[in-house]
Amino acid sequence: MKQAAAIFFSTIALLTALSCRPQKVRMPEPPQDRHVPFNYVATKGMVVAAHPLAAEAGLDMLKGGGNAVDAAIATAFALNAAEPFASGLGGSGFMVIYLAKAKKVTVVNFREKAPAAARPTMFTEKGEKQAEWRQERGTAVGVPGMLAGWNYALKKYGTKSLAEASARAVEIAEKGFPVSATFSQINKDEYEKLLKNAGEDTCYLNSGIPYEPGEVFKNPDLAATLRLIGAKGIDEFYKGEIAKKIVAAVRAKDGIMTLEDLAAYRPVEVEPIKGTYKGHTIYTLPPPGTGGFHIIQLLNVAENWPLKDWGHNTPATIHHLSETMRFIFADKDHYDGDPDYVSIPVAELISKDYAKEIRSKISAEKTAGTYPYGRFDKVQDEKENTTHIGVIDKDGNIVALTQSINDFFGTGIVPEGTGFLLNDHMADFSTDPNSPNAPRPNRRPVSNMGPLIMFKDGKPFLVLGSPGGTRIFSSLSQIIFNIIDFGMSLDEAIEAPRFFSYTTEGKARPISIEPRIPEAVLKALEKLGHKITPKEPYDKYFGGAQGIMILPDKKLIYGGADSRRDGVGAGY
Amino acid sequence: MNMWRTLIANLIIFCGIAASSPAVQTAPPAFELPLLITSAGQSADVSIASMLAKKAELTATLSKLATGKDLENQKTLVLVLGASMKGLGSAGLDTDKEYERIRALLAEAKKKNIPVLCLHLGGEQRRGELTDKMIEEFLPSAKMALIVKSGNKDGLFTKICKEKNIPLVEIEKTLDTVEPLKSLFKK
């Protein structure tokens, strides 16, 4: 009721403001309690991101005449300064772009590649120390694609230079900002890795210990690096002095990356994959991004179920969707890989016929008990990392950008004097040397990301994405169900309690669940054969989604940002 | 300068104890070096404690999975309270095994007459069911507790320390722990 009132009054306030003073729109203030659903409202353009300073950077770019791509890259640069633990120059990502004039959706893939010296057994031969070599040593670092991807998108679809797009990030890194409770907690959780790899004197620690909420974090080295890139271009990063520092840092920690690996890196532009759900069309990533096609699979299976009649987060809804997630996991293990090298039957997997097949295996009365399973990975990650940006500009161009350095604070390795963290995305390769997703020269590891743009009647309706590892497809699907089937507003849909389940070796894992879902529902699920693992009420485990909803009839744009992290919207 | 720092640190400890447990002793207990630092719950806070001891120039051994044997030649046991599922997972432990380890370690410390100093450095965010149960079980074994204030918003530490006559010192920020630590240990 409180949420509905907040949305109602915010809309009324905006409409009143529009009718009285069309040139000056006063946006309603977000509530003190971050968890209370709140839709940011705008009429021309909107940016949603995981840090207020980054969202502001994007908004200023829009107001300054930049288009959605310019604003997305300005936001992405700013996140490197303001949310450095989740993404940055040392990482990678995927960008779904909608070009309004051409009515075209395209995808830029700038996922890391494995160095040329990578081998399928490079981690398994480390035995019990495998996890350390996959996550915290130089071998964990994939060849970063972030800057090449941003640059590609700016040059082809943007209007601004790298220097212009990175200007606000330079300012944030230089002036600093008080860290949030989220930053502080993550800084504490990753302390040992930072101490080991970045050292006691790193800017990522405050006098050798983690930052407390409110303490000011500055990163002058990053500011200098961004200025250098702005002045000299991306060759400085891939072939120049920064490249030498990256390789030196990686190899000092037993890594295998070379200058040739960096110089050879290129992003690729690819066609999106397409799915439909109850009259809506979804465009998202093809492999090696897998979040997108698993979302389409989950929506396909659920499409013929009466979710609305079952009700939101009722035993029937949670049971059926959890079972579907478990069946989809079989495909995740079995087929995922780099499509440049591995044949993946995506069209078949996202077909309605295949969804029907999965649906036929799910009983309303009990859990299946055993599930088909992939041949490879036995353990799924619990990571909460990564970040997502959504942008729409005044001309209707849209960007959904998910980017990461993998684990929070990546490997913790900082090339000397550069201020940015190197990724540990080599950990996204399979632990099984026989898997199609095993590390091999120049291959891209599979990613769980799934930024998407959804259309209704041929017009953009929803822009969505989230971090959250293997939970990404499940969390984004639940947001879509919340909006389309349960009639929630955008941020209500984002803040609503989430759940997730999967399988290992054909056996069901418990349903991880935010305990805001009533006890009676959990008990009913247990009667159906599920085990339940309660998480925190608003748990980062389920991601930190950002969304934009476009309502052309009302000439309004809503922004929704997840309170599980520090997400905000900024519009005008 | 050092003398002033020590005086200020003593004042912090004195005021902290006076404010939080007025019925208890007014002079801070003294601990001796060397000290063994271990975790109850395997959060990264134990490594932060080790860094704080280094900054306080204390001779300390960090052993996240310390057992009774590690108490040989030690004069103080520092127990850093804070549970982390990630930390427990990395250590290959479940909560039951962690409880068993700490119980055995505290029993050995008691047998050897080694005093326990409990730290809670994670503030409000390092609370929760798992950590709270450990606080309730292990804090009563402490001779003194040094905690970041935001972790005691609900008064859990105050309640236990009052009940068990344990001097409690609240520190605003983690880094502020360095000076009190210096003062607590005889060199």
Side-chain angles (χ1 to χ4, degrees):
Chain A
M1 187 64 195
K2 192 176 173 185
Q3 296 132 3
I7 293 154
F8 174 77
F9 285 119
S10 64
T11 308
I12 291 295
L14 178 72
L15 291 173
T16 306
L18 278 171
S19 63
C20 300
R21 292 176 173 224
Q23 299 306 314
K24 280 191 172 183
V25 178
R26 276 185 73 85
M27 296 298 164
E29 290 293 315
Q32 288 284 315
D33 180 353
R34 288 179 38 72
H35 296 313
V36 173
F38 176 80
N39 289 302
Y40 296 86
V41 187
T43 55
K44 295 190 176 83
M46 174 73 76
V47 181
V48 285
H51 196 282
L53 292 172
E56 271 174 32
L59 178 62
D60 287 351
M61 179 61 86
L62 288 180
K63 285 180 173 174
N67 66 17
V69 173
D70 298 320
I73 306 305
T75 309
F77 268 116
L79 281 173
N80 193 167
E83 198 203 29
F85 50 83
S87 70
L89 294 173
S92 69
F94 297 92
M95 198 181 311
V96 183
I97 303 172
Y98 172 65
L99 303 159
K101 202 171 172 185
K103 296 192 186 311
K104 179 191 168 189
V105 183
T106 187
V107 172
V108 182
N109 167 358
F110 46 104
R111 180 74 161 158
E112 289 94 347
K113 283 188 163 189
R119 288 170 294 111
T121 56
M122 64 184 282
F123 295 123
T124 47
E125 67 196 14
K126 304 297 180 189
E128 288 181 359
K129 296 272 184 188
Q130 182 177 171
E132 184 188 335
W133 286 80
R134 291 164 67 89
Q135 293 173 294
E136 297 183 10
R137 304 287 277 263
T139 44
V141 185
V143 182
M146 194 76 89
L147 187 59
W150 292 347
N151 186 61
Y152 178 93
L154 265 187
K155 276 194 183 312
K156 187 160 181 184
Y157 298 114
T159 65
K160 304 288 183 183
S161 67
L162 269 179
E164 287 169 308
S166 61
R168 283 297 297 276
V170 171
E171 202 179 304
I172 296 164
E174 261 172 0
K175 287 186 180 169
F177 58 92
V179 307
S180 66
T182 305
F183 187 124
S184 172
Q185 185 59 49
I186 292 168
N187 202 209
K188 286 173 184 169
D189 287 343
E190 303 298 335
Y191 176 68
E192 289 164 346
K193 177 172 71 184
L194 285 167
L195 193 61
K196 186 167 73 178
N197 283 344
E200 192 177 333
D201 297 327
T202 177
C203 70
Y204 292 107
L205 297 173
N206 188 11
S207 302
I209 66 165
Y211 285 84
E212 301 279 353
E215 290 180 346
V216 174
F217 170 75
K218 293 181 184 179
N219 192 343
D221 284 350
L222 178 66
T225 298
L226 294 176
R227 276 210 173 91
L228 192 61
I229 292 166
K232 294 192 172 183
I234 69 163
D235 276 358
E236 185 63 19
F237 186 93
Y238 287 99
K239 295 174 183 171
E241 289 305 308
I242 300 172
K244 288 177 190 166
K245 288 178 180 177
I246 292 171
V247 171
V250 167
R251 296 187 83 90
K253 299 281 182 187
D254 310 303
I256 54 174
M257 196 189 297
T258 63
L259 286 170
E260 290 72 27
D261 289 325
L262 276 165
Y265 186 86
R266 300 284 181 279
V268 289
E269 187 170 353
V270 294
E271 290 285 319
I273 57 169
K274 190 171 99 171
T276 59
Y277 182 70
K278 296 187 177 174
H280 299 74
T281 307
I282 301 132
Y283 289 91
T284 184
L285 304 181
T290 63
F293 90 80
H294 293 316
I295 289 169
I296 295 174
Q297 285 185 294
L298 185 47
L299 296 178
N300 281 345
V301 175
E303 194 169 28
N304 286 19
W305 282 330
L307 293 186
K308 192 176 175 183
D309 295 342
W310 289 345
H312 179 245
N313 282 345
T314 55
T317 299
I318 297 174
H319 165 73
H320 284 83
L321 295 179
S322 296
E323 287 284 275
T324 311
M325 291 171 203
R326 291 165 180 159
F327 280 101
I328 288 174
F329 248 76
D331 298 329
K332 187 168 191 61
D333 285 355
H334 196 81
Y335 294 112
D336 291 351
D338 183 343
D340 287 351
Y341 300 88
V342 178
S343 174
I344 305 165
V346 176
E348 184 191 327
L349 293 171
I350 63 173
S351 70
K352 302 288 183 187
D353 284 346
Y354 184 66
K356 193 177 171 187
E357 198 180 307
I358 292 180
R359 207 162 41 239
S360 70
K361 294 174 185 168
I362 296 172
S363 157
E365 309 300 325
K366 58 179 183 176
T367 56
T370 56
Y371 304 81
Y373 59 100
R375 296 162 293 169
F376 306 108
D377 296 311
K378 292 175 184 170
V379 181
Q380 296 302 327
D381 70 273
E382 295 276 312
K383 295 167 187 172
E384 301 164 342
N385 44 53
T386 308
T387 198
H388 181 78
I389 297 162
V391 183
I392 182 168
D393 67 21
K394 63 180 171 44
D395 298 318
N397 300 303
I398 293 169
V399 174
L401 163 57
T402 308
Q403 54 182 29
S404 184
I405 50 175
N406 203 16
D407 280 305
F408 281 138
F409 290 99
T411 51
I413 299 172
V414 181
E416 192 179 357
T418 63
F420 64 84
L421 290 149
L422 291 173
N423 71 82
D424 64 324
H425 268 131
M426 292 291 283
D428 280 353
F429 282 115
S430 173
T431 53
D432 187 330
N434 299 311
S435 165
N437 186 36
R440 290 184 176 86
N442 306 314
R443 286 204 187 183
R444 290 183 161 92
V446 161
S447 163
N448 293 300
M449 296 178 198
L452 63 90
I453 304 174
M454 183 183 258
F455 293 74
K456 187 180 181 181
D457 303 327
K459 291 177 183 166
F461 167 63
L462 186 65
V463 186
L464 205 57
S466 179
T470 49
R471 280 81 60 205
I472 289 175
F473 81 93
S474 145
S475 292
L476 295 180
S477 299
Q478 286 173 64
I479 292 169
I480 292 170
F481 296 137
N482 290 347
I483 291 169
I484 294 177
D485 294 278
F486 302 116
M488 293 186 196
S489 78
L490 176 60
D491 202 45
E492 269 184 294
I494 289 172
E495 300 298 343
R498 293 184 198 153
F499 57 91
F500 175 68
S501 190
Y502 63 99
T503 56
T504 47
E505 295 185 295
K507 299 289 178 198
R509 300 286 299 164
I511 301 177
S512 296
I513 206 158
E514 287 181 325
R516 290 178 284 148
I517 293 172
E519 186 71 27
V521 173
L522 308 188
K523 292 254 184 281
L525 287 167
E526 283 172 344
K527 280 187 182 167
L528 289 166
H530 299 278
K531 288 185 177 162
I532 304 292
T533 300
K535 307 294 279 189
E536 295 296 318
Y538 291 86
D539 204 312
K540 294 195 294 293
Y541 173 82
F542 297 100
Q546 327 292 354
I548 293 173
M549 187 186 278
I550 303 113
L551 303 171
D553 298 349
K554 296 181 185 173
K555 295 190 167 66
L556 288 177
I557 302 164
Y558 284 161
D562 206 324
S563 68
R564 292 170 182 83
R565 295 257 289 263
D566 292 333
V568 298
Y572 76 118
Chain B
M1 188 64 184
N2 280 340
M3 189 183 75
W4 278 107
R5 278 189 180 168
T6 307
L7 279 172
I8 291 165
N10 281 328
L11 192 63
I12 290 169
I13 293 170
F14 182 82
C15 293
I17 293 169
S20 54
S21 52
V24 197
Q25 62 197 91
T26 49
F31 294 91
E32 291 182 72
L33 294 171
L35 63 92
L36 175 70
I37 302 173
T38 195
S39 170
Q42 300 300 318
S43 76
D45 296 352
V46 70
S47 297
I48 299 171
S50 177
M51 176 60 74
L52 294 167
K54 183 183 161 191
K55 286 180 181 291
E57 297 170 345
L58 303 176
T59 311
T61 302
L62 169 63
S63 176
K64 292 184 198 174
L65 301 172
T67 62
K69 285 179 187 170
D70 296 307
L71 287 169
E72 284 299 321
N73 303 318
Q74 302 290 350
K75 297 278 180 62
T76 300
L77 172 63
V78 173
L79 188 64
V80 185
L81 301 165
S84 155
M85 289 311 292
K86 183 184 170 195
L88 286 165
S90 299
L93 292 173
D94 58 25
T95 47
D96 290 346
K97 282 182 185 164
E98 181 69 340
Y99 271 98
E100 278 172 32
R101 183 183 68 83
I102 301 298
R103 283 174 191 142
L105 182 66
L106 289 174
E108 189 65 17
K110 191 176 179 184
K111 199 167 132 190
K112 287 185 156 62
N113 210 22
I114 293 173
V116 178
L117 171 63
C118 273
L119 302 185
H120 184 263
L121 302 173
E124 192 176 10
Q125 289 167 306
R126 188 68 75 199
R127 287 285 306 275
E129 196 181 339
L130 212 53
T131 298
D132 288 3
K133 280 183 181 168
M134 289 187 170
I135 293 169
E136 282 159 10
E137 175 160 347
F138 301 134
L139 180 58
S141 303
K143 190 174 175 185
M144 184 170 176
L146 193 55
I147 66 164
V148 171
K149 195 175 180 177
S150 67
N152 194 24
K153 277 186 180 166
D154 62 352
L156 177 66
F157 285 93
T158 306
K159 179 175 168 280
I160 296 171
C161 287
K162 273 190 176 172
E163 282 171 8
K164 302 291 177 184
N165 276 358
I166 300 164
L168 172 66
V169 177
E170 291 182 329
I171 301 295
E172 284 295 331
K173 290 181 176 181
T174 312
L175 202 55
D176 298 340
T177 313
V178 174
E179 292 303 323
L181 271 179
K182 273 185 185 175
S183 301
L184 285 173
F185 286 87
K186 287 181 196 169
K187 287 189 184 171

